[in-house]
Every structure is written in C-alpha cells, then in structure tokens.
Amino acid sequence: MELKYHQFGLVCVIMLLPVMCTSQDSFTCSRATYYGSPECTANPTGACGFGEYGTAINDGSVAGVSWLWRNGSGCGACYQVRCKIAEYCDDYGAYVVVTDFGVGDRTDFIMSPRAYSRLAKNEDASAELFKYGVVDVEYKRVPCRYGGYNIIVKVNERSYNPHYLAIVTLYVGGTQDITAVQFWQEDCKEWRPMRRAFGTVFDVENPPRGDIKLRFQVTGSAGVYWVESKTFITSDWKAGASYDTQIQLE
C-alpha cells in the first residue's frame, strides 16, 4: 500500500506541472527568438498583409507567431512576452503586436530585433540575450492600445476599381479578433461574405457599384457578434485609400 501511495503522489505532481506553467496570472510558457540581425527593422511583407503599417505599428515591436496566427485571425493581436533568465530579463518584458506568421525551433514568437531587445533589463543584458538566440518565455494576450484610433479599412494595393476590391483592417483594439467581413448587396437586400485572401486581407471580385457598406464579425471574450461600419467605402475608391469606420473595440 505504501508503494502505491507514493506512485499516486508522483502522478499528481506530473499532472500539475502544465497547470503551474499557465496559472500564474494567465501566462503561458513557450520560447521566443528573433529574425535577422539586431540592426534589422520589422518586415513590411509579412503574412498578415499589413505592409508598411506592420513596420511602424508599436514602434516596430512586432512578432511573427505560429499557432497563434490562427489562419490570419490572430493578426494584430497584442501580447506581453517576458523571458525567464533572471540575470538578464526585464520583469515586465515586451509588448508586441502580431504582424506575421513564422515557425521556429519550438517557438511561439519570432520577434523583431527591437521587440526582442525589450525583453532585457538594459543594453548589456540585451546583447547577452541576442547571443542566446532562443530563450524561454511566458506570454499572455493583452488589450491592444491605439490611443483612440478607430478601426481603419485600407484598400489593398492590388485592388482595381471596379473589378477587384481587397481590404485590410487596421487598429483593431482590445482583445477581439475580426474573423469575417461582409458587404451589403443592395439589389438583393442581403449581406454577402468577402473571402479571406490571406492574413487580415479580405477580398471580393466584381464588388457592388457605388458606395460600399461593410460589417465585421468580431470574436472575443464577449462571444461572437457583428458590428457595422458607420461609414462607406466611397464609389471612387482606389488602391491605398483609407476609410475610418468610426468603430472602436475595447
């Protein structure tokens, strides 16, 4: 009986280890690395489709992710990431925005050099972390902070009026994801889906003529719901144009 008791105790400890890794203030254990050299900037051609916005957002503290990418719906999500080498790592860590997809050596985050350096306490510690290349981290999702920006719809550069329209949604705040986009088809009096082309780029061939009304499916802690843009994409839209939806997500 004594042997069985000790065996049961060992099983309990083993089963608790994964829970301990995720229970501290909702952090999840993982690994992180960086791309390029320490002097590199963020990638403007990431799989999310953000373009130059992806290099400037959050002062270039961005990351590519693997399973957190979630077929593109994870684009634009914000995370607090902190490394676990007490000698070098800052207690708060880095605040990063997802702008790309990437797979590393059992890593969830492939960070821009600027973001990776912010894991460290100071410049000397940062230099040491870059020598490691890959570090153990813990992370949690946090609300995106855009300082009062509404959601912006940008017409993708491959769009061509009136035959093909592709859009990118920018400044999605809070901890919500945009998981679908629909446009209003006036002659049929119904909402019709846009296709997720890649990342956060949604498109449609032969879009409606005239002004275009959009609505967005939002997924988050409040469940799944639709929000309708308070403005239109005007009939004279062209590639590169941006439209303020007058929507904010908290």
Side-chain angles (χ1 to χ4, degrees), residues 73-91:
S73 65
C75 291
C78 299
Y79 292 90
Q80 180 186 356
V81 184
R82 57 192 190 191
C83 60
K84 303 172 70 174
I85 307 173
E87 183 179 357
Y88 302 125
C89 297
D90 180 76
D91 289 340

Side-chain angles (χ1 to χ4, degrees), residues 11-222:
V11 171
C12 286
V13 171
I14 293 172
M15 290 178 67
L16 281 173
L17 283 176
V19 177
M20 292 169 61
C21 193
T22 59
S23 63
Q24 183 184 5
D25 198 19
S26 301
F27 279 88
T28 300
C29 295
S30 185
R31 284 155 52 93
T33 186
Y34 67 94
Y35 57 82
S37 70
E39 294 77 29
C40 285
T41 58
N43 181 11
T45 58
C48 287
F50 287 143
E52 290 299 326
Y53 167 89
T55 68
I57 192 66
N58 195 35
D59 196 29
S61 288
V62 299
V65 293
S66 52
W67 74 272
L68 293 170
W69 192 65
R70 290 179 281 114
N71 196 35
S73 65
C75 291
C78 299
Y79 292 90
Q80 180 186 356
V81 184
R82 57 192 190 191
C83 60
K84 303 172 70 174
I85 307 173
E87 183 179 357
Y88 302 125
C89 297
D90 180 76
D91 289 340
Y92 179 81
Y95 168 83
V96 299
V97 180
V98 174
T99 60
D100 203 353
F101 171 82
V103 178
D105 179 15
R106 293 177 289 121
T107 60
D108 280 324
F109 293 88
I110 302 179
M111 306 171 77
S112 67
R114 176 163 294 186
Y116 191 82
S117 68
R118 289 180 174 172
L119 297 172
K121 292 180 177 180
N122 51 48
E123 288 188 9
D124 291 339
S126 175
E128 293 301 318
L129 288 185
F130 277 108
K131 291 178 183 178
Y132 274 83
V134 179
V135 292
D136 290 329
V137 298
E138 54 187 12
Y139 70 89
K140 67 176 179 179
R141 187 163 182 183
V142 295
C144 291
R145 309 186 296 259
Y146 293 128
Y149 274 93
N150 298 325
I151 295 177
I152 300 295
V153 170
K154 184 177 181 181
V155 180
N156 183 268
E157 64 273 7
R158 296 182 181 177
S159 299
Y160 182 69
N161 196 344
H163 303 293
Y164 175 72
L165 172 64
I167 62 164
V168 184
T169 52
L170 311 177
Y171 299 111
V172 179
T175 56
Q176 289 82 8
D177 301 322
I178 290 180
T179 50
V181 180
Q182 294 181 342
F183 62 91
W184 178 249
Q185 188 76 45
E186 179 63 27
D187 55 352
C188 300
K189 303 295 181 184
E190 65 179 9
W191 291 99
R192 291 193 169 179
M194 298 184 75
R195 178 185 70 117
R196 185 188 291 275
F198 67 95
T200 190
V201 178
F202 291 84
D203 68 358
V204 59
E205 293 184 354
N206 300 314
R209 301 296 177 95
D211 295 346
I212 301 174
K213 186 82 165 180
L214 299 176
R215 70 174 184 174
F216 310 92
Q217 185 182 67
V218 179
T219 303
S221 58

